[in-house]
């Protein structure tokens, strides 16, 4: 019977989980697509490049899709069982809620492990490929698209306009080409008709122009006089180098050392190096100050034996000759400025190192906190479903979205507090888990004791009791 019970709960869970996971994954992926849509439009990207871009974007969304899928599916599973009174029958047979939840607890732990492995190994690789591809797309100029009556200016040193384009997309009329070879030369080509084509390697744009003129101006910076040349032609071929319009293939090793592209073990190694570098900066400050403040390193152990008379600024000035006083003052001011400049530079560098350490710790804790969130949200969803006793995508979905938004907001606030150095990386990145764990314990306790936490009749009875209490209180006060 126990094995059949485990099969029942697993079959009831797998279906809603698969549906909600892919729905959540699709919604999050579309959100990422809309975020970068402006950088993709008009770049002439092929479907393979767009597919890679979406794949790399969606990889980082799995760590968010997994918790919300577990939350919604657990609420739906226990809500459906409660609505069909199967949960009541199981409890009446003497099986506790925790025993009934046991197979799904192991499933939640399994998904926690998958989320961690994905966040630790797959997402860093996907982030590396995504950043490399995104920068190549971002800095890629728009694809060649010559529109009627509009200058195309994305080819360096050229501005091209066609008055009219035929339906074949190749034949153009009333062609105007401005060329700027250097600041003193402004050449121009005008043609009545032409045919444009792109070379096989897509690096050159070829214009075969007919019946036009080429105007050129020759001169140099040493001579103010220029020479103007007008050349008529019946046929003229013009080549444009459009290699700058192509997407560059940057080597991903450029971004390999970024903290988002590292696993937990690699982040730990980087943190050790950053901490050692921070310690070396402190030592460098001490050595720098020792070089300027020479007398600070001398052991002042004789001050107790010899009574040194107190000196004032005036008496100190009297010890310095008038001829050397200005030199000593300028030297002291220069030394103070050098010390101040060196300290400011070192402090800024130390602040940058501390900020980099915080970002590394954020990514390290994120890999564990998001995977643990799957387990915490399961212990929120399963008790909620058994208390609500409503199946489908109505009430369970509303409650799940409320708790997921609470989790997501706490997660974002915690990360922001860590970045601003308000909270430590541990408390900031684990804020959502620490805040929702007591909620999960409370809901599990209420579900085990058949609480009427979301029962309308329970609150109606409580309201009536309060109303009767206040009516009695008014009656006793009037007598």
């Amino acid at each position: 019977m126990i094995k059949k019970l485990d099969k029942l709960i697993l079959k009831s869970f797998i279906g809603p989980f698969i549906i909600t996971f892919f729905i959540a994954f699709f919604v999050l992926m579309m959100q990422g697509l809309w975020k970068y849509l402006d950088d993709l439009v008009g770049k002439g990207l092929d479907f393979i490049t767009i597919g890679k871009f979406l794949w790399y974007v969606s990889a980082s969304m799995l760590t968010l899709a997994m918790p919300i899928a577990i939350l919604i599916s657990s609420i739906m599973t226990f809500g459906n069982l409660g609505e069909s009174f199967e949960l009541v029958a199981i409890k009446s047979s003497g099986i506790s809620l925790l025993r009934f939840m046991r197979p799904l607890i192991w499933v939640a732990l399994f998904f926690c492990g998958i989320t961690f492995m994905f966040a630790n190994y797959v997402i860093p690789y996907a982030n590396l490929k995504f950043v490399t591809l995104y920068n190549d797309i971002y800095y890629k100029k728009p694809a060649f698209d010559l529109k009627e009556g509009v200058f195309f200016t994305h080819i360096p040193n050229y501005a091209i306009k066609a008055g009219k384009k035929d339906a074949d997309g190749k034949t153009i009329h009333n062609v105007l080409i401005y060329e700027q070879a250097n600041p003193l030369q402004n050449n121009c080509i005008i043609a009545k008709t032409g045919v444009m084509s792109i070379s096989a390697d897509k690096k050159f744009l070829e214009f075969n122009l007919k019946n036009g003129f080429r105007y050129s101006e020759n001169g140099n910076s040493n001579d103010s006089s220029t020479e103007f040349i007008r050349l008529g032609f019946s046929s003229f071929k013009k080549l444009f180098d459009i290699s700058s319009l192509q997407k560059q293939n940057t080597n991903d090793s450029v971004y390999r050392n970024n903290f988002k592209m590292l696993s937990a073990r690699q982040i730990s190694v980087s943190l050790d190096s950053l901490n050692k570098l921070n310690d070396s900066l402190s030592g460098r400050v001490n050595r720098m100050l020792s070089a300027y403040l020479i007398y600070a390193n001398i052991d002042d152990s004789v001050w107790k034996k010899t009574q040194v008379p107190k000196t004032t600024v005036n008496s100190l000035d009297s010890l310095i000759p008038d001829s050397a006083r200005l030199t000593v003052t300028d030297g002291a001011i220069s030394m103070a400025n050098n010390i101040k400049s060196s300290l400011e530079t070192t402090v800024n560098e130390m602040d940058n190192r501390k900020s980099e350490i915080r970002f590394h710790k954020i990514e390290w804790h994120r890999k564990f906190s998001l995977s643990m969130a799957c387990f915490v949200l399961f212990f929120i969803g399963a008790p909620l479903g058994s208390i609500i006793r409503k199946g489908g995508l109505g009430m369970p979905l509303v409650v799940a979205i409320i708790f997921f938004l609470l989790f997501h907001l706490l997660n974002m606030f915690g990360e922001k507090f860590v970045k601003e150095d308000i909270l430590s990386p541990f408390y900031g990145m684990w804020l959502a888990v620490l805040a929702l764990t007591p909620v999960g314990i409370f809901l599990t306790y209420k579900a085990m004791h058949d609480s009427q936490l979301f029962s309308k009749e329970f609150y109606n009875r409580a309201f009536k009791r309060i109303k009767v209490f206040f009516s009695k209180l008014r009656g006793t006060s009037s007598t």
Side-chain angles (χ1 to χ4, degrees), residues 87 91 97 101 382-387 389 441-451 453:
L87 194 60
K91 287 182 179 180
L97 180 65
M101 291 168 54
L384 271 176
S386 62
I387 294 173
R389 297 179 183 177
I441 296 173
F442 172 76
L443 291 175
T444 304
Y445 174 80
K446 288 293 185 181
M448 290 176 63
H449 292 80
D450 296 327
S451 172
L453 192 62

PDB file of all heavy atoms in Angstrom, residues 87 91 97 101 382-387 389 441-451 453:
ATOM      1  N   LEU A  87      -6.832  13.221   0.055  1.00  0.00           N
ATOM      2  CA  LEU A  87      -5.954  13.577   1.171  1.00  0.00           C
ATOM      3  C   LEU A  87      -6.641  13.275   2.503  1.00  0.00           C
ATOM      4  O   LEU A  87      -5.997  12.808   3.451  1.00  0.00           O
ATOM      5  CB  LEU A  87      -5.590  15.058   1.073  1.00  0.00           C
ATOM      6  CG  LEU A  87      -4.431  15.548   1.939  1.00  0.00           C
ATOM      7  CD1 LEU A  87      -3.154  14.812   1.596  1.00  0.00           C
ATOM      8  CD2 LEU A  87      -4.224  17.044   1.737  1.00  0.00           C
ATOM      9  N   LYS A  91      -5.262  10.622   5.349  1.00  0.00           N
ATOM     10  CA  LYS A  91      -5.046  11.001   6.745  1.00  0.00           C
ATOM     11  C   LYS A  91      -5.909  10.153   7.685  1.00  0.00           C
ATOM     12  O   LYS A  91      -5.474   9.798   8.785  1.00  0.00           O
ATOM     13  CB  LYS A  91      -5.359  12.485   6.935  1.00  0.00           C
ATOM     14  CG  LYS A  91      -4.329  13.422   6.336  1.00  0.00           C
ATOM     15  CD  LYS A  91      -4.692  14.870   6.625  1.00  0.00           C
ATOM     16  CE  LYS A  91      -3.653  15.827   6.060  1.00  0.00           C
ATOM     17  NZ  LYS A  91      -4.005  17.240   6.353  1.00  0.00           N
ATOM     18  N   LEU A  97       0.895  13.551   7.283  1.00  0.00           N
ATOM     19  CA  LEU A  97       1.164  14.377   6.108  1.00  0.00           C
ATOM     20  C   LEU A  97       2.630  14.291   5.702  1.00  0.00           C
ATOM     21  O   LEU A  97       2.952  14.229   4.507  1.00  0.00           O
ATOM     22  CB  LEU A  97       0.773  15.831   6.392  1.00  0.00           C
ATOM     23  CG  LEU A  97       1.009  16.823   5.242  1.00  0.00           C
ATOM     24  CD1 LEU A  97       0.114  16.482   4.055  1.00  0.00           C
ATOM     25  CD2 LEU A  97       0.763  18.250   5.695  1.00  0.00           C
ATOM     26  N   MET A 101       4.184  13.167   2.221  1.00  0.00           N
ATOM     27  CA  MET A 101       5.050  14.070   1.464  1.00  0.00           C
ATOM     28  C   MET A 101       6.433  13.494   1.211  1.00  0.00           C
ATOM     29  O   MET A 101       7.202  14.082   0.432  1.00  0.00           O
ATOM     30  CB  MET A 101       5.190  15.407   2.213  1.00  0.00           C
ATOM     31  CG  MET A 101       3.938  16.249   2.255  1.00  0.00           C
ATOM     32  SD  MET A 101       4.080  17.624   3.437  1.00  0.00           S
ATOM     33  CE  MET A 101       5.581  18.414   2.877  1.00  0.00           C
ATOM     34  N   ALA A 382       3.467  22.637  -0.637  1.00  0.00           N
ATOM     35  CA  ALA A 382       2.757  21.413  -0.255  1.00  0.00           C
ATOM     36  C   ALA A 382       1.774  21.646   0.897  1.00  0.00           C
ATOM     37  O   ALA A 382       0.595  21.265   0.801  1.00  0.00           O
ATOM     38  CB  ALA A 382       3.767  20.317   0.087  1.00  0.00           C
ATOM     39  N   PRO A 383       2.170  22.279   2.003  1.00  0.00           N
ATOM     40  CA  PRO A 383       1.182  22.555   3.061  1.00  0.00           C
ATOM     41  C   PRO A 383       0.076  23.494   2.611  1.00  0.00           C
ATOM     42  O   PRO A 383      -1.088  23.320   3.005  1.00  0.00           O
ATOM     43  CB  PRO A 383       2.025  23.189   4.179  1.00  0.00           C
ATOM     44  CG  PRO A 383       3.420  22.777   3.916  1.00  0.00           C
ATOM     45  CD  PRO A 383       3.523  22.661   2.437  1.00  0.00           C
ATOM     46  N   LEU A 384       0.420  24.480   1.769  1.00  0.00           N
ATOM     47  CA  LEU A 384      -0.613  25.393   1.282  1.00  0.00           C
ATOM     48  C   LEU A 384      -1.666  24.642   0.471  1.00  0.00           C
ATOM     49  O   LEU A 384      -2.869  24.903   0.599  1.00  0.00           O
ATOM     50  CB  LEU A 384       0.017  26.488   0.425  1.00  0.00           C
ATOM     51  CG  LEU A 384       0.497  27.747   1.142  1.00  0.00           C
ATOM     52  CD1 LEU A 384       1.180  28.679   0.168  1.00  0.00           C
ATOM     53  CD2 LEU A 384      -0.651  28.451   1.829  1.00  0.00           C
ATOM     54  N   GLY A 385      -1.221  23.710  -0.374  1.00  0.00           N
ATOM     55  CA  GLY A 385      -2.166  22.953  -1.161  1.00  0.00           C
ATOM     56  C   GLY A 385      -3.090  22.108  -0.310  1.00  0.00           C
ATOM     57  O   GLY A 385      -4.294  22.021  -0.584  1.00  0.00           O
ATOM     58  N   SER A 386      -2.543  21.490   0.752  1.00  0.00           N
ATOM     59  CA  SER A 386      -3.387  20.668   1.626  1.00  0.00           C
ATOM     60  C   SER A 386      -4.328  21.513   2.470  1.00  0.00           C
ATOM     61  O   SER A 386      -5.394  21.042   2.873  1.00  0.00           O
ATOM     62  CB  SER A 386      -2.493  19.817   2.537  1.00  0.00           C
ATOM     63  OG  SER A 386      -1.705  20.639   3.380  1.00  0.00           O
ATOM     64  N   ILE A 387      -3.966  22.779   2.737  1.00  0.00           N
ATOM     65  CA  ILE A 387      -4.848  23.661   3.508  1.00  0.00           C
ATOM     66  C   ILE A 387      -5.922  24.278   2.618  1.00  0.00           C
ATOM     67  O   ILE A 387      -7.102  24.325   2.970  1.00  0.00           O
ATOM     68  CB  ILE A 387      -4.017  24.764   4.208  1.00  0.00           C
ATOM     69  CG1 ILE A 387      -3.095  24.148   5.269  1.00  0.00           C
ATOM     70  CG2 ILE A 387      -4.927  25.788   4.861  1.00  0.00           C
ATOM     71  CD1 ILE A 387      -2.123  25.136   5.880  1.00  0.00           C
ATOM     72  N   ARG A 389      -6.956  23.205  -0.441  1.00  0.00           N
ATOM     73  CA  ARG A 389      -7.809  22.143  -0.997  1.00  0.00           C
ATOM     74  C   ARG A 389      -8.540  22.603  -2.257  1.00  0.00           C
ATOM     75  O   ARG A 389      -9.729  22.363  -2.443  1.00  0.00           O
ATOM     76  CB  ARG A 389      -8.808  21.636   0.043  1.00  0.00           C
ATOM     77  CG  ARG A 389      -8.144  20.986   1.247  1.00  0.00           C
ATOM     78  CD  ARG A 389      -9.153  20.526   2.255  1.00  0.00           C
ATOM     79  NE  ARG A 389      -8.483  19.972   3.439  1.00  0.00           N
ATOM     80  CZ  ARG A 389      -9.123  19.538   4.525  1.00  0.00           C
ATOM     81  NH1 ARG A 389     -10.449  19.617   4.558  1.00  0.00           N
ATOM     82  NH2 ARG A 389      -8.453  19.046   5.540  1.00  0.00           N
ATOM     83  N   ILE A 441       7.811  26.287   7.858  1.00  0.00           N
ATOM     84  CA  ILE A 441       7.621  25.503   9.082  1.00  0.00           C
ATOM     85  C   ILE A 441       6.228  25.741   9.662  1.00  0.00           C
ATOM     86  O   ILE A 441       5.534  24.805  10.082  1.00  0.00           O
ATOM     87  CB  ILE A 441       8.720  25.849  10.103  1.00  0.00           C
ATOM     88  CG1 ILE A 441      10.089  25.437   9.562  1.00  0.00           C
ATOM     89  CG2 ILE A 441       8.447  25.174  11.442  1.00  0.00           C
ATOM     90  CD1 ILE A 441      11.244  25.896  10.435  1.00  0.00           C
ATOM     91  N   PHE A 442       5.796  26.999   9.670  1.00  0.00           N
ATOM     92  CA  PHE A 442       4.477  27.337  10.204  1.00  0.00           C
ATOM     93  C   PHE A 442       3.362  26.682   9.390  1.00  0.00           C
ATOM     94  O   PHE A 442       2.427  26.095   9.955  1.00  0.00           O
ATOM     95  CB  PHE A 442       4.315  28.856  10.225  1.00  0.00           C
ATOM     96  CG  PHE A 442       2.928  29.324  10.574  1.00  0.00           C
ATOM     97  CD1 PHE A 442       2.472  29.288  11.884  1.00  0.00           C
ATOM     98  CD2 PHE A 442       2.073  29.796   9.579  1.00  0.00           C
ATOM     99  CE1 PHE A 442       1.193  29.711  12.202  1.00  0.00           C
ATOM    100  CE2 PHE A 442       0.797  30.221   9.894  1.00  0.00           C
ATOM    101  CZ  PHE A 442       0.360  30.170  11.210  1.00  0.00           C
ATOM    102  N   LEU A 443       3.451  26.762   8.067  1.00  0.00           N
ATOM    103  CA  LEU A 443       2.421  26.174   7.211  1.00  0.00           C
ATOM    104  C   LEU A 443       2.412  24.653   7.318  1.00  0.00           C
ATOM    105  O   LEU A 443       1.333  24.029   7.292  1.00  0.00           O
ATOM    106  CB  LEU A 443       2.641  26.604   5.765  1.00  0.00           C
ATOM    107  CG  LEU A 443       2.397  28.087   5.452  1.00  0.00           C
ATOM    108  CD1 LEU A 443       2.770  28.400   4.021  1.00  0.00           C
ATOM    109  CD2 LEU A 443       0.952  28.469   5.725  1.00  0.00           C
ATOM    110  N   THR A 444       3.592  24.040   7.433  1.00  0.00           N
ATOM    111  CA  THR A 444       3.645  22.587   7.599  1.00  0.00           C
ATOM    112  C   THR A 444       2.993  22.166   8.914  1.00  0.00           C
ATOM    113  O   THR A 444       2.249  21.174   8.963  1.00  0.00           O
ATOM    114  CB  THR A 444       5.101  22.106   7.543  1.00  0.00           C
ATOM    115  OG1 THR A 444       5.711  22.535   6.322  1.00  0.00           O
ATOM    116  CG2 THR A 444       5.186  20.594   7.621  1.00  0.00           C
ATOM    117  N   TYR A 445       3.261  22.925   9.972  1.00  0.00           N
ATOM    118  CA  TYR A 445       2.637  22.624  11.264  1.00  0.00           C
ATOM    119  C   TYR A 445       1.119  22.756  11.175  1.00  0.00           C
ATOM    120  O   TYR A 445       0.373  21.893  11.676  1.00  0.00           O
ATOM    121  CB  TYR A 445       3.202  23.576  12.323  1.00  0.00           C
ATOM    122  CG  TYR A 445       2.520  23.463  13.670  1.00  0.00           C
ATOM    123  CD1 TYR A 445       2.849  22.445  14.566  1.00  0.00           C
ATOM    124  CD2 TYR A 445       1.541  24.379  14.045  1.00  0.00           C
ATOM    125  CE1 TYR A 445       2.222  22.341  15.794  1.00  0.00           C
ATOM    126  CE2 TYR A 445       0.911  24.289  15.267  1.00  0.00           C
ATOM    127  CZ  TYR A 445       1.258  23.264  16.139  1.00  0.00           C
ATOM    128  OH  TYR A 445       0.616  23.159  17.356  1.00  0.00           O
ATOM    129  N   LYS A 446       0.631  23.813  10.532  1.00  0.00           N
ATOM    130  CA  LYS A 446      -0.808  24.009  10.397  1.00  0.00           C
ATOM    131  C   LYS A 446      -1.444  22.917   9.546  1.00  0.00           C
ATOM    132  O   LYS A 446      -2.551  22.442   9.840  1.00  0.00           O
ATOM    133  CB  LYS A 446      -1.096  25.378   9.772  1.00  0.00           C
ATOM    134  CG  LYS A 446      -0.825  26.556  10.701  1.00  0.00           C
ATOM    135  CD  LYS A 446      -1.795  26.555  11.854  1.00  0.00           C
ATOM    136  CE  LYS A 446      -1.636  27.785  12.735  1.00  0.00           C
ATOM    137  NZ  LYS A 446      -2.586  27.761  13.877  1.00  0.00           N
ATOM    138  N   ALA A 447      -0.754  22.497   8.489  1.00  0.00           N
ATOM    139  CA  ALA A 447      -1.310  21.445   7.631  1.00  0.00           C
ATOM    140  C   ALA A 447      -1.346  20.108   8.349  1.00  0.00           C
ATOM    141  O   ALA A 447      -2.292  19.323   8.157  1.00  0.00           O
ATOM    142  CB  ALA A 447      -0.477  21.335   6.351  1.00  0.00           C
ATOM    143  N   MET A 448      -0.358  19.834   9.186  1.00  0.00           N
ATOM    144  CA  MET A 448      -0.345  18.565   9.920  1.00  0.00           C
ATOM    145  C   MET A 448      -1.471  18.504  10.939  1.00  0.00           C
ATOM    146  O   MET A 448      -1.938  17.410  11.294  1.00  0.00           O
ATOM    147  CB  MET A 448       1.006  18.380  10.612  1.00  0.00           C
ATOM    148  CG  MET A 448       2.160  18.120   9.651  1.00  0.00           C
ATOM    149  SD  MET A 448       3.742  18.026  10.508  1.00  0.00           S
ATOM    150  CE  MET A 448       3.465  16.592  11.556  1.00  0.00           C
ATOM    151  N   HIS A 449      -1.919  19.663  11.419  1.00  0.00           N
ATOM    152  CA  HIS A 449      -2.985  19.704  12.424  1.00  0.00           C
ATOM    153  C   HIS A 449      -4.329  20.117  11.815  1.00  0.00           C
ATOM    154  O   HIS A 449      -5.211  20.600  12.532  1.00  0.00           O
ATOM    155  CB  HIS A 449      -2.609  20.669  13.558  1.00  0.00           C
ATOM    156  CG  HIS A 449      -1.457  20.174  14.382  1.00  0.00           C
ATOM    157  ND1 HIS A 449      -0.151  20.294  13.968  1.00  0.00           N
ATOM    158  CD2 HIS A 449      -1.414  19.546  15.594  1.00  0.00           C
ATOM    159  CE1 HIS A 449       0.666  19.789  14.890  1.00  0.00           C
ATOM    160  NE2 HIS A 449      -0.081  19.316  15.879  1.00  0.00           N
ATOM    161  N   ASP A 450      -4.458  19.954  10.497  1.00  0.00           N
ATOM    162  CA  ASP A 450      -5.724  20.244   9.800  1.00  0.00           C
ATOM    163  C   ASP A 450      -6.239  21.645  10.120  1.00  0.00           C
ATOM    164  O   ASP A 450      -7.391  21.847  10.498  1.00  0.00           O
ATOM    165  CB  ASP A 450      -6.793  19.198  10.143  1.00  0.00           C
ATOM    166  CG  ASP A 450      -6.404  17.819   9.645  1.00  0.00           C
ATOM    167  OD1 ASP A 450      -5.748  17.748   8.591  1.00  0.00           O
ATOM    168  OD2 ASP A 450      -6.734  16.827  10.330  1.00  0.00           O
ATOM    169  N   SER A 451      -5.354  22.618   9.955  1.00  0.00           N
ATOM    170  CA  SER A 451      -5.732  23.995  10.250  1.00  0.00           C
ATOM    171  C   SER A 451      -6.720  24.525   9.223  1.00  0.00           C
ATOM    172  O   SER A 451      -6.711  24.126   8.051  1.00  0.00           O
ATOM    173  CB  SER A 451      -4.485  24.885  10.275  1.00  0.00           C
ATOM    174  OG  SER A 451      -4.826  26.234  10.382  1.00  0.00           O
ATOM    175  N   LEU A 453      -6.787  27.591   8.148  1.00  0.00           N
ATOM    176  CA  LEU A 453      -6.162  28.893   7.959  1.00  0.00           C
ATOM    177  C   LEU A 453      -6.799  29.672   6.808  1.00  0.00           C
ATOM    178  O   LEU A 453      -6.922  30.890   6.865  1.00  0.00           O
ATOM    179  CB  LEU A 453      -4.664  28.703   7.695  1.00  0.00           C
ATOM    180  CG  LEU A 453      -3.775  29.936   7.750  1.00  0.00           C
ATOM    181  CD1 LEU A 453      -3.802  30.549   9.149  1.00  0.00           C
ATOM    182  CD2 LEU A 453      -2.337  29.587   7.355  1.00  0.00           C
TER     183      LEU A 453
END
